[in-house]
Amino acid sequence: ITYSVVLFFPGRNNTMTTLLLIDVQKDFHPGGSLAIPKADEDATRLVELIQANQGSIDRIVVTMDSHHKLHIAHPCFWLDGKTKKTHPSPFTIISNEDVVNKKWVPRSNLSLSLEKDLTLFTATNDDGIFDLYEYAKEYTRRLEEKGTFQLCIWPEHCLIGTDGHAIVDDVRQALDDWSVATGGSVEFVTKGQNLLTESYSALAAEVPVNEETSFNEAVMESLLKSKNLMVAGQAMSHCVNYTLRDIVEHWPQRPRGEITLLIDCASAVPGFEAAAEQFQKDMEAAGVVLSSISEAFPICC
């Protein structure tokens, strides 16, 4: 996870309102490779919010899912264990047991920079040499040990440099208009570049494998400069969910009512609606404000 320049507004920290937009990217919208059917409607409301409240939004932080083709949660990372010719279909679940039994194995020719990509732990064969298959066993074990996920193979999405990686056009225009109107610059947080781990949260990978994928204190400290933090984006079931859970977990002894989840500016990945519903219940129980855009600014400001 990398972080761009952090902008601070001296003298305004006690009243600063930050809009945190999670992965408002084309691949998560209709026509994209991992489309959320209602994402365009969410974006329309989000644009309305930004345009109507330019002067009340002090900062905008935008996260961007940013993957390479051979990411561990993409089909081409994996091959069937028998023929070594077939990739798993999107939405295949690969369990640790599947890897141990070699139902699915990682490709043997993946190019890695271990000094950069994998520094917190490693996996070697009997000769002490890094072994990607041994890594895959250990990774899926650690992932399942956390009790939240098994490895899900997703359609290739948000590949760096592709159209699907870009912010959706109407939101991009609203961001530009906000910059021109206020003199502020949008701050970008990228996640998901490391081939060897998944990053649903913008603050940390599910299984940290190096310093960059560990909990990002710089991003969190930046968000804590906000008196009012408003969160929206895609998807309610996944990246909005786990980013906000990390924020709430690390929120200091301040009212969690300073955080607002814009419930009409985020939707679930189809088939994961229950996860989105549970997330909203958990956030409400934790003291986060759940609000529509029509109510957001009277609550916050």
Side-chain angles (χ1 to χ4, degrees):
I1 302 171
T2 58
Y3 190 52
S4 63
V5 176
V6 178
L7 301 181
F8 298 102
F9 299 81
R12 293 169 61 188
N13 285 351
N14 288 338
T15 60
M16 186 185 297
T17 293
T18 297
L19 180 60
L20 174 60
L21 304 184
I22 309 295
D23 300 359
V24 189
Q25 293 164 266
K26 292 183 178 180
D27 265 345
F28 297 126
H29 284 245
S33 63
L34 188 47
I36 297 162
K38 296 182 179 179
D40 282 351
E41 299 167 32
D42 296 333
T44 297
R45 287 185 286 269
L46 186 56
V47 168
E48 178 184 339
L49 176 81
I50 296 170
Q51 290 177 337
N53 299 281
Q54 287 180 337
S56 299
I57 300 171
D58 299 302
R59 295 174 61 213
I60 299 180
V61 179
V62 177
T63 75
M64 296 187 70
D65 215 22
S66 303
H67 295 307
H68 297 282
K69 186 177 184 69
L70 301 183
H71 185 260
I72 195 167
H74 284 169
C76 287
F77 185 97
W78 297 91
L79 293 165
D80 74 285
K82 290 184 178 181
T83 70
K84 306 295 196 300
K85 293 180 180 180
T86 302
H87 301 297
S89 300
F91 304 105
T92 297
I93 300 297
I94 297 180
S95 67
N96 175 252
E97 183 179 4
D98 290 337
V99 180
V100 169
N101 294 333
K102 297 188 176 182
K103 178 179 179 180
W104 298 106
V105 297
R107 60 188 301 138
S108 61
N109 64 345
L110 188 70
S111 179
L112 295 168
S113 174
L114 296 180
E115 297 82 4
K116 175 179 178 292
D117 296 330
L118 186 64
T119 59
L120 294 185
F121 72 94
T122 189
T124 59
N125 59 24
D126 292 340
D127 296 323
I129 299 171
F130 175 76
D131 187 303
L132 189 57
Y133 170 67
E134 294 297 325
Y135 172 82
K137 287 198 297 185
E138 179 64 10
Y139 176 80
T140 52
R141 185 193 69 78
R142 292 190 181 207
L143 185 65
E144 292 177 11
E145 188 176 62
K146 291 183 66 177
T148 305
F149 293 109
Q150 289 182 303
L151 177 62
C152 179
I153 302 303
W154 298 105
E156 290 179 3
H157 62 281
C158 298
L159 298 184
I160 299 167
T162 65
D163 187 58
H165 182 249
I167 302 297
V168 291
D169 293 338
D170 54 350
V171 174
R172 176 74 253 188
Q173 185 62 55
L175 298 178
D176 290 344
D177 292 345
W178 172 85
S179 289
V180 171
T182 66
S185 292
V186 176
E187 304 162 47
F188 290 91
V189 178
T190 58
K191 63 183 179 68
Q193 300 96 312
N194 193 299
L195 299 179
L196 296 176
T197 190
E198 301 158 275
S199 298
Y200 292 109
S201 170
L203 292 171
E206 301 312 310
V207 178
V209 296
N210 62 6
E211 184 176 350
E212 288 185 352
T213 57
S214 300
F215 187 79
N216 196 322
E217 298 286 353
V219 174
M220 188 66 209
E221 289 176 10
S222 168
L223 296 176
L224 287 174
K225 297 293 181 179
S226 309
K227 176 65 174 178
N228 305 302
L229 177 63
M230 308 174 69
V231 183
Q234 302 304 335
M236 183 76 84
S237 53
H238 288 80
C239 295
V240 173
N241 183 341
Y242 292 99
T243 298
L244 188 49
R245 287 183 186 276
D246 273 350
I247 291 171
V248 167
E249 181 181 347
H250 292 85
W251 202 252
Q253 297 301 312
R254 285 164 44 186
R256 288 174 177 165
E258 296 175 349
I259 306 170
T260 299
L261 174 62
L262 297 173
I263 57 175
D264 56 352
C265 294
S267 297
V269 174
F272 293 89
E273 292 82 4
E277 291 172 7
Q278 186 61 53
F279 161 59
Q280 291 180 61
K281 291 177 181 177
D282 291 346
M283 292 301 97
E284 189 170 32
V288 172
V289 175
L290 274 57
S291 172
S292 64
I293 64 166
S294 62
E295 301 168 328
F297 273 90
I299 288 174
C300 284
C301 305

